[in-house]
Amino acid sequence: MPQLDKSPDDRVGQNVEDTVLGDLIGYRLKRAYMQIQPVAQQVLAEDGLRVVSFSCLSIITDNPGIVQTELAAALQMERSNLVVIIDELEQSGFIARKKVPTDRRRYALTATLRGRRLRDRAADKIRQAEDTIVGCLDKEDRTRLMAVLERLEDQRT
Amino acid sequence: MPQLDKSPDDRVGQNVEDTVLGDLIGYRLKRAYMQIQPVAQQVLAEDGLRVVSFSCLSIITDNPGIVQTELAAALQMERSNLVVIIDELEQSGFIARKKVPTDRRRYALTATLRGRRLRDRAADKIRQAEDTIVGCLDKEDRTRLMAVLERLEDQRT
DNA sequence: GTATAATTGTTATGGTCAATAAGTATTTTC
DNA sequence: GAAAATACTTATTGACCATAACAATTATAC
């Protein structure tokens, strides 16, 4: 029996049927991420950072001497797209490039004191911003969510 | 006490320190999504669909007579960006545009039989592909994950 | 009732982002 | 020592998203 079309006037706002999309994990992950991302973006913009440059700064801070290829692998991005970001961070004085004496193809990346301080401050602000969104979850739901996401992430296909 | 730089040779593959990023929900959501998205993209490409066009087709199938503005709101995208996608789906014979008699500004969108069948088939394939990734979670973890993501998504800031 | 405002679909455009290919310098492998 | 591999870089491309502006139509204000 064919479903009758609703008059367009009957359907307002969020009253939209969905028998498929909402049950897909990919869809739900994207929607949840899209809730967080703009907030993080805005918070980081106050310090002149983008999400990707903050990610780089954070990994460099945690891994002084890391090299661009390793950084790209850690963040699952292309080396070529990293270059401009590293340039930005270097010109802003948040990181330094030092030639590796044993292999002059590579640059050892280290965060400056300013860079490390910015990382810590920005991280605090992001955590705070995330809390306003994730506040609806109790501590157990939250830790369980993080654990499950980590397991998905580590899944090798 | 300053942390000594590791020699770049000491750090291989995934042995990268991370004291901040991994504890951020936004980061974890993105990484998990990036695990699913390429698989869904590839599966849909076999039927000539993109993720966004499948999403549109699915919502139109579930809501015959829906109008472009409502569809855009449901998928949280811009009306202007919807136009080309609707064009594609119409030219492929998966949906039809019909003028709304009571409001000639609007087009009522309905999925054709071919469109509905494609939606159902593609949905099955996506679910199957997702299962290969989410298979590491038991049923309870999975339903709990979906519920938590839904709560995050509905959070109004 | 008519002028004004709002809505719908559309086009055009720009910005950001990710992926690829190709090039240079250096190191490793054979 | 020649050839292959690696690290970083540059340039380019296409996908995607947001915005502004427009015509047609409808709703609202007076």
Side-chain angles (χ1 to χ4, degrees):
Chain A
M1 176 178 178
Q3 182 177 358
L4 290 180
D5 293 9
K6 276 185 191 167
S7 160
D9 304 315
D10 296 343
R11 190 171 26 238
V12 281
Q14 309 291 10
N15 301 7
V16 175
E17 290 298 314
D18 172 19
T19 66
V20 167
L21 241 42
D23 291 328
L24 296 177
I25 295 188
Y27 183 75
R28 277 266 127 84
L29 284 173
K30 180 170 191 177
R31 298 276 289 215
Y33 174 64
M34 282 304 152
Q35 199 82 351
I36 306 270
Q37 199 270 349
V39 178
Q41 192 172 46
Q42 186 180 346
V43 163
L44 290 172
E46 298 168 3
D47 293 302
L49 289 175
R50 291 180 290 157
V51 171
V52 63
S53 53
F54 169 75
S55 300
C56 289
L57 177 58
S58 190
I59 295 294
I60 294 170
T61 299
D62 286 337
N63 298 273
I66 195 173
V67 139
Q68 282 176 226
T69 297
E70 296 167 342
L71 179 58
L75 293 177
Q76 295 182 1
M77 58 184 298
E78 294 298 320
R79 279 174 306 163
S80 58
N81 294 325
L82 208 73
V83 177
V84 50
I85 298 160
I86 298 297
D87 286 344
E88 282 175 21
L89 289 172
E90 187 183 26
Q91 283 161 23
S92 302
F94 300 137
I95 66 168
R97 265 189 252 236
K98 291 180 290 191
K99 272 197 152 40
V100 175
T102 66
D103 187 342
R104 293 185 340 225
R105 292 172 301 183
R106 310 169 114 188
Y107 289 106
L109 305 175
T110 53
T112 63
L113 179 59
R114 276 187 64 212
R116 295 196 294 274
R117 285 183 176 154
L118 175 60
R119 194 283 292 261
D120 292 340
R121 179 157 34 91
D124 281 341
K125 286 165 72 175
I126 293 186
R127 279 188 284 259
Q128 193 174 338
E130 283 193 344
D131 282 346
T132 68
I133 295 174
V134 191
C136 61
L137 305 179
D138 60 32
K139 198 169 186 64
E140 189 190 331
D141 278 342
R142 189 163 164 172
T143 59
R144 194 186 292 256
L145 171 63
M146 297 292 277
V148 167
L149 291 178
E150 194 170 358
R151 270 162 65 197
L152 284 186
E153 184 180 319
D154 292 341
Q155 199 69 8
R156 286 286 150 264
T157 55
Chain B
M1 177 178 180
Q3 183 177 357
L4 290 180
D5 293 9
K6 276 186 192 168
S7 160
D9 304 314
D10 297 342
R11 190 170 26 238
V12 282
Q14 309 291 10
N15 301 8
V16 175
E17 290 299 314
D18 173 20
T19 67
V20 167
L21 243 41
D23 291 328
L24 296 178
I25 295 189
Y27 183 75
R28 279 266 127 83
L29 284 173
K30 181 171 191 177
R31 298 276 288 214
Y33 174 64
M34 282 303 151
Q35 200 81 349
I36 307 269
Q37 197 269 351
V39 178
Q41 193 172 46
Q42 187 180 346
V43 162
L44 290 172
E46 298 169 3
D47 292 302
L49 289 174
R50 291 181 289 158
V51 171
V52 63
S53 52
F54 169 74
S55 300
C56 289
L57 177 58
S58 190
I59 295 293
I60 294 171
T61 298
D62 285 337
N63 299 272
I66 196 173
V67 138
Q68 282 177 226
T69 297
E70 296 166 343
L71 178 58
L75 293 176
Q76 294 182 3
M77 57 185 298
E78 294 298 319
R79 280 174 305 161
S80 58
N81 294 326
L82 208 75
V83 178
V84 51
I85 298 161
I86 298 296
D87 285 345
E88 283 175 20
L89 289 172
E90 187 183 26
Q91 284 161 22
S92 303
F94 299 139
I95 66 167
R97 267 189 250 237
K98 291 182 291 191
K99 272 196 152 39
V100 175
T102 66
D103 187 343
R104 293 184 341 221
R105 292 172 299 184
R106 311 170 114 188
Y107 289 104
L109 305 175
T110 52
T112 63
L113 179 58
R114 276 187 65 212
R116 295 195 294 274
R117 285 183 175 153
L118 175 60
R119 194 284 291 261
D120 292 341
R121 179 157 35 91
D124 281 342
K125 286 165 71 176
I126 292 184
R127 278 187 284 259
Q128 192 174 339
E130 283 193 344
D131 282 346
T132 69
I133 296 174
V134 191
C136 61
L137 305 180
D138 60 31
K139 198 170 186 64
E140 188 190 331
D141 278 341
R142 189 163 163 170
T143 59
R144 194 186 293 256
L145 171 62
M146 296 293 278
V148 166
L149 291 178
E150 194 169 356
R151 270 165 63 200
L152 284 186
E153 184 180 320
D154 292 340
Q155 199 69 6
R156 287 285 149 263
T157 55

